[in-house]
Structures are given as structure tokens and as C-alpha cells.
Amino acid sequence: QVQLAESGGGSVQAGGSLRLSCVSNAFTYFSSNCMGWFRQAPGKEREGVALIYRVSGSTAYADSVKGRFSISRDDARYTVDLQMNSLQPEDTAMYYCATDRYVPCRMVSTNEANYWGQGTQVTVSS
């Protein structure tokens, strides 16, 4: 059973924007403490990009995307979105959605989570 499904990836030129969306089901969504996005480029380790706490709405971002990316959640649609602006070639990667039920949120400092999506590719050309 698919818990998380991402959409919105694609190819853009540097300076462009994309919006990624991750949809889950009610159980997965409301059992989550935190939700977020990771990315993995070829030959590199998976890294956290942004996360949001389901109840408080507090957010955190990797330094490399601060000021350019914005994460949001929608309790009615069970979604977590990532708005990506001013995209650069170094943002090229497979982007994964994840949710974690643990308290404290493991995604703050690790790549651990309860559920993962299949990933959506983002390619930025110069």
C-alpha cells in the first residue's frame, strides 16, 4: 500500500520554479509528527531539504535552500508541498517526501523516517 505519492517534478532552466506535492492518506498524515522533503543527487548521499511539524507548522530548511524553498502542509488534503524558486543546477536531484511519527522528529538530524515516497525527479539546466 502506497503511503506517500509525490508529483510536480520536471525540467526547468536555472532561475525557474517548480512546486512539488506529496499526498498521503488520513492515517499516515495525522499520525505524523513531522513531514518533509529530502533529495539525492547521483553519487551523493540523501540530504534533508525542508521539514514541517504537522501540529505547530514550524519549519526548518537546509542552508542551501533557505530563502528559495518553502514548505507547507494542508490538513484538508493530506498534502505537504515544496515550493522551489530560483532553482539552480545544483538543485538537480531526485526529491523524496517523508513522514515521521517519532518524537522528537528524527528527520531533524538523520535520514530516518517512517514512510517514504517513490521520488520525483527535478532537473535544472544552466
Side-chain angles (χ1 to χ4, degrees):
Q1 182 180 359
V2 177
Q3 306 289 346
L4 301 173
E6 302 100 333
S7 62
S11 297
V12 295
Q13 291 190 328
S17 298
L18 283 173
R19 187 176 183 87
L20 306 182
S21 186
C22 172
V23 62
S24 63
N25 55 51
F27 175 79
T28 301
Y29 185 87
F30 286 109
S31 67
S32 299
N33 172 38
C34 59
M35 303 169 286
W37 290 88
F38 289 77
R39 67 186 181 186
Q40 187 166 18
K44 294 188 177 181
E45 293 187 357
R46 186 172 296 188
E47 63 172 349
V49 175
L51 69 84
I52 186 167
Y53 286 88
R54 184 184 60 79
V55 174
S56 69
S58 296
T59 59
Y61 298 91
D63 288 341
S64 58
V65 306
K66 281 181 181 177
R68 300 188 298 123
F69 290 12
S70 178
I71 189 170
S72 61
R73 73 198 192 301
D74 189 325
D75 291 349
R77 296 168 53 231
Y78 316 139
T79 57
V80 180
D81 291 352
L82 185 68
Q83 177 66 42
M84 305 185 295
N85 300 325
S86 301
L87 283 162
Q88 300 301 316
E90 52 266 34
D91 294 317
T92 295
M94 184 73 77
Y95 283 69
Y96 298 90
C97 174
T99 68
D100 196 30
R101 295 179 298 180
Y102 278 73
V103 179
C105 175
R106 293 179 295 176
M107 295 194 293
V108 172
S109 56
T110 75
N111 289 342
E112 296 182 52
N114 286 114
Y115 300 109
W116 292 88
Q118 296 296 309
T120 185
Q121 179 67 38
V122 171
T123 303
V124 185
S125 59
S126 57

